[in-house]
Amino acid sequence: MTDLATRDGESTATPDALREERRRRMSPRDKWRRFTYRFTPYLYISPFFIIFAVVGLFPLAFTAFVSFYDWRLTTQSVDDATFIGLQNYSDVLFGNAVFWTSLANTFSIFLISTIPQIIIATFIAVMLDRNLRAKTFWRMGVLLPYVVAPVAIAIIFSAIFRDPTQGGLMNSLLELVGLDPVNWKSDRIPSHIAIALMVNFRWTGYNALILLAAMQAVPRDLYEAAALDGAGAMRRFFSVTLPSIRGTMIFVVITATMGGLRIFDEVRMYDPRPGSVGGPGGIFRTVVLYMYDTGFNGAKGDLGKASAIAWLLFFIILIFAGLNFWLSGRIATDGSGKKVSKRQLRREAAAIVNEQEGAR
Amino acid sequence: MSAVGSLETTGKRTPDKALRKPRRTMLVERPRWWVYAILGAIVAGSLFPLYWSYVIASTTSGNANARIPVLVPGGNFLSNAARVIDTIPFWGALANSLFISVVVTASTLFFCTLAGYAFAKLPFKGSKWLSAFVVLTLAVPPQLGAVGLYRLMADWGWTGTIGAVIFPVLVSAFGVFFMRQYLEGVIPTELIEAARMDGAGQFRTFMTVAVPAARPAAAVLGLFTFITTWTDFFWPFLVLRDPDVQTLQTALAQLWASSGNNPDMSLILTGSLMSIIPLLILFVIAGKQLVAGIMSGAVKS
């Protein structure tokens, strides 16, 4: 079916007998080539599937398996482990409140970071979406923090946001303007704000560029028309820009959510002293940090419980993915409540562009 | 997700005749000074943490802990850098980070181009289904399988080796997907058939047709793979427990963890600054391509 002649469309109607005849007349060398043409695509895609099976699927399944056992970091094989059923899960969920406070911390940090981040990124994108001089310079300028590793960012911010007893730049600034110093590392909400700032420092410019790309694809005619109708800059933004970049906006929100639910580097390095796991009393311990602490930190090494935490997080992520999917479906409706598919939006945009081209 | 779509449309912004009429010029004229002022403030904000870490990195430990912080750099950066090198295996970690990132980038580019080309241009049974599966795997966060992967690496005796860091990221679902999207658009099928008529085998066709065509996309994918690998922390931190084998990121964690309850901030910030410098150099060289890559919608992970 995949041989050359058929794909060329010359001989789609070749009777089986003729094809059989041709195959018989083929030299061994041609037969070999035929075979390689059919076989090599699988060879080409196999590295991905093999590596994914080994480092993706197998570990996930194994983690599920381990989550039903009393399995320590030192446990070598299933023979040394005791099957305990759902014990790990019930320990995590009901044993103490650590899982729930970690989950609350994760959501708190995620909300404090994502909402301002997207608003500011949109604002920066609007600023960049003008006829600027030295465009590339400004774009590179806002992207710069992206190449700074989260670990280094966390260290730098950890030094800026020290507790009042230790000085630190942020508290000095607050004192300078007559405000009380803040316990950036030992109070819950202030620590979440500092961590959210780290996340935003790295990702705001990056998201601004993604949004900028979407804004540049908005036909300029729409702005002109709106301006002629007397819409000011604000009105143009809310009535033209925002609806046109809806799809990209949803995308940015989804990736921010998925990233936010698995935050680790920043919280681990904000207070990296050996005894501390997410600050005093775990005030900024996130779910992934809790998993790390349970399974890999120091003497505890309870891989069974860590696996249960991982799978619980997986379920939460699945729920969020579903929620995102449902929400973005709802958001992607136009003013009349009618559903607008991405393809339809694109078709509309294309129609406008074509009109513009035609008018020239 | 077209790889070049948005870039093309930017070219259509040239003012046409209608736009030159007085009433409409507001949309094409140069923005006012305050737009530059705001952008300047934002760029200053993204530079400030780096500047400030240099301030602390170049001062003495005593000054770094002063109640009223210093705001101008001192002259101690090099002596602090020497102390960092004494405290952690900095050069070893730098070499490891460099080696890991280069190997992972090279392998990702090769395997992803190969698979992307197969999905985009070679007809085979199950192609659609398998390529949908590749996209689906993007939804699985790598942290979730950490326990199982750790156990696997322990069984192989790889924990504490850089092989354990490299192996899981040799090829990425995103890369395969990205290359498929790109190559689908840029390689005319006739070109592949012409190469075959000339007697080129399957792999030679790949090398002579697909590889040159993939070059622009490879530059973008390579840059992002390099940065992601270089800045990765979670997995190396778990699997590199031996203090002698570190990447820059895990060495930094070690530098701080080992300093106990009274951390020497100038030492630690010197270390973090030293770890940033290589990527800053890369950014200066390739920042433009990086921006273009994000703007083209190439990297949305």
Side-chain angles (χ1 to χ4, degrees):
Chain A
M1 254 204 312
T2 48
D3 76 35
L4 284 171
T6 322
R7 280 201 302 112
D8 284 340
E10 300 161 355
S11 45
T12 8
T14 311
D16 284 352
L18 245 170
R19 192 181 289 169
E20 204 47 50
E21 170 68 19
R22 210 173 53 208
R23 195 171 291 163
R24 215 159 33 76
R25 270 188 298 175
M26 268 205 232
S27 68
R29 191 164 168 266
D30 283 347
K31 273 185 183 158
W32 168 247
R33 288 191 67 177
R34 222 178 108 92
F35 173 73
T36 61
Y37 278 138
R38 286 194 171 177
F39 179 70
T40 44
Y42 296 103
L43 197 67
Y44 289 1
I45 62 167
S46 61
F48 171 81
F49 286 93
I50 291 168
I51 291 180
F52 179 74
V54 176
V55 304
L57 280 184
F58 169 74
L60 211 57
F62 193 78
T63 305
F65 179 74
V66 167
S67 74
F68 299 117
Y69 282 83
D70 181 11
W71 194 303
R72 303 286 143 166
L73 197 54
T74 47
T75 305
Q76 291 301 324
S77 77
V78 67
D79 304 329
D80 316 332
T82 328
F83 182 81
I84 54 170
L86 291 171
Q87 184 71 42
N88 284 322
Y89 289 90
S90 71
D91 279 356
V92 169
L93 288 172
F94 313 114
N96 53 35
V98 177
F99 178 75
W100 298 106
T101 52
S102 313
L103 194 61
N105 291 340
T106 308
F107 279 117
S108 166
I109 292 169
F110 155 68
L111 285 177
I112 299 177
S113 62
T114 311
I115 295 169
Q117 183 189 131
I118 289 174
I119 294 172
I120 297 169
T122 313
F123 176 76
I124 295 175
V126 170
M127 291 291 121
L128 290 173
D129 190 29
R130 290 172 178 242
N131 192 19
L132 290 168
R133 286 176 205 280
K135 279 191 187 75
T136 312
F137 169 80
W138 296 113
R139 289 172 186 177
M140 276 176 68
V142 301
L143 186 63
L144 176 70
Y146 172 70
V147 298
V148 185
V151 170
I153 294 174
I155 289 177
I156 295 168
F157 277 65
S158 178
I160 294 177
F161 289 89
R162 298 172 83 179
D163 269 349
T165 49
Q166 304 166 310
L169 184 68
M170 192 45 84
N171 277 330
S172 303
L173 287 177
L174 288 179
E175 277 176 44
L176 200 69
V177 294
L179 293 171
D180 286 337
V182 173
N183 291 321
W184 294 109
K185 289 197 178 169
S186 44
D187 280 350
R188 177 167 258 121
I189 295 301
S191 68
H192 293 187
I193 292 174
I195 292 162
L197 273 171
M198 297 174 208
V199 178
N200 291 353
F201 173 73
R202 185 157 192 243
W203 291 105
T204 306
Y206 184 93
N207 282 328
L209 290 181
I210 292 181
L211 292 170
L212 172 65
M215 285 180 194
Q216 301 223 313
V218 179
R220 299 287 131 173
D221 286 21
L222 290 180
Y223 289 113
E224 271 177 64
L228 281 176
D229 288 347
M234 274 301 212
R235 186 67 207 273
R236 286 202 299 271
F237 172 74
F238 282 105
S239 303
V240 179
T241 313
L242 261 192
S244 314
I245 62 169
R246 210 159 26 190
T248 308
M249 196 60 112
I250 290 168
F251 170 81
V252 169
V253 172
I254 290 175
T255 44
T257 311
M258 293 301 136
L261 289 177
R262 48 189 224 232
I263 182 168
F264 175 80
D265 302 6
E266 288 88 347
V267 280
R268 177 69 201 130
M269 293 306 293
Y270 186 48
D271 187 1
R273 290 169 305 164
S276 162
V277 189
I283 52 169
F284 49 88
R285 176 174 14 203
T286 59
V287 178
V288 178
L289 186 55
Y290 178 39
M291 181 187 98
Y292 157 79
D293 184 44
T294 308
F296 298 94
N297 200 13
K300 278 172 269 180
D302 190 340
L303 286 184
K305 224 167 133 185
S307 301
I309 299 169
W311 270 89
L312 287 170
L313 183 63
F314 194 19
F315 288 131
I316 293 167
I317 287 177
L318 281 183
I319 291 170
F320 259 76
L323 210 64
N324 265 321
F325 196 70
W326 179 74
L327 264 180
S328 54
R330 303 223 34 177
I331 294 168
T333 53
D334 64 10
S336 62
K338 202 178 64 183
K339 277 217 165 196
V340 180
S341 69
K342 236 177 152 183
R343 187 177 297 164
Q344 197 178 335
L345 260 179
R346 210 172 289 149
R347 208 179 299 138
E348 281 167 19
I352 296 168
V353 172
N354 284 341
E355 244 169 61
Q356 180 188 6
E357 297 287 297
R360 270 190 197 157
Chain B
M1 184 160 111
S2 91
V4 284
S6 53
L7 281 182
E8 279 168 2
T9 44
T10 56
K12 294 199 178 103
R13 291 183 62 186
T14 44
D16 59 9
K17 269 180 201 156
L19 281 173
R20 280 196 213 108
K21 283 180 192 165
R23 269 189 81 181
R24 296 184 186 180
T25 48
M26 47 185 292
L27 293 174
V28 279
E29 77 184 6
R30 297 283 181 194
R32 304 272 177 79
W33 64 270
W34 57 266
V35 173
Y36 292 101
I38 291 173
L39 284 173
I42 290 163
V43 172
S46 49
L47 268 174
F48 180 77
L50 300 185
Y51 169 77
W52 192 77
S53 66
Y54 180 68
V55 169
I56 298 300
S58 60
T59 190
T60 59
S61 323
N63 272 344
N65 288 322
R67 199 87 182 81
I68 307 294
V70 281
L71 283 173
V72 281
N76 291 324
F77 183 73
L78 289 180
S79 66
N80 284 334
R83 284 200 296 142
V84 170
I85 292 166
D86 283 343
T87 317
I88 50 169
F90 180 82
W91 296 118
L94 179 72
N96 285 344
S97 280
L98 205 61
F99 180 76
I100 292 168
S101 303
V102 167
V103 170
V104 168
T105 304
S107 131
T108 301
L109 286 183
F110 180 72
F111 288 132
C112 291
T113 310
L114 208 55
Y117 166 72
F119 278 129
K121 288 292 160 188
L122 304 179
F124 60 95
K125 253 184 204 161
S127 164
K128 267 199 178 136
W129 194 87
L130 289 169
S131 106
F133 180 79
V134 172
V135 177
L136 205 68
T137 64
L138 277 171
V140 184
Q143 278 99 334
L144 302 183
V147 170
L149 192 56
Y150 185 87
R151 194 59 251 167
L152 185 70
M153 291 299 153
D155 280 348
W156 290 0
W158 281 19
T159 37
T161 67
I162 52 177
V165 178
I166 293 177
F167 184 74
V169 283
L170 277 176
V171 53
S172 72
F174 172 76
V176 174
F177 173 71
F178 174 55
M179 277 301 180
R180 187 199 80 189
Q181 295 296 95
Y182 184 81
L183 292 178
E184 208 147 52
V186 294
I187 303 180
T189 308
E190 299 81 57
L191 206 59
I192 297 171
E193 272 158 19
R196 277 185 193 159
M197 295 298 166
D198 291 348
Q202 195 83 299
F203 190 72
R204 246 194 74 206
T205 312
F206 167 75
M207 292 303 281
T208 52
V209 175
V211 170
R215 212 168 278 166
V220 170
L221 180 62
L223 268 176
F224 279 93
T225 307
F226 192 90
I227 293 173
T228 311
T229 314
W230 186 281
T231 57
D232 193 20
F233 179 63
F234 179 79
W235 177 244
F237 184 61
L238 282 195
V239 83
L240 296 180
R241 315 193 120 224
D242 178 354
D244 293 334
V245 182
Q246 299 289 328
T247 68
L248 276 181
Q249 313 306 331
T250 61
L252 276 184
Q254 206 182 64
L255 179 65
W256 192 330
S258 64
S259 68
N261 281 329
N262 278 316
D264 180 345
M265 292 321 282
S266 13
L267 180 73
I268 292 167
L269 285 186
T270 305
S272 71
L273 211 54
M274 287 163 74
S275 80
I276 295 170
I277 291 168
L279 276 196
L280 281 185
I281 294 172
L282 182 73
F283 184 72
V284 169
I285 299 169
K288 234 175 156 171
Q289 282 91 310
L290 211 57
V291 168
I294 296 173
M295 295 275 297
S296 70
V299 181
K300 293 178 165 181
S301 62

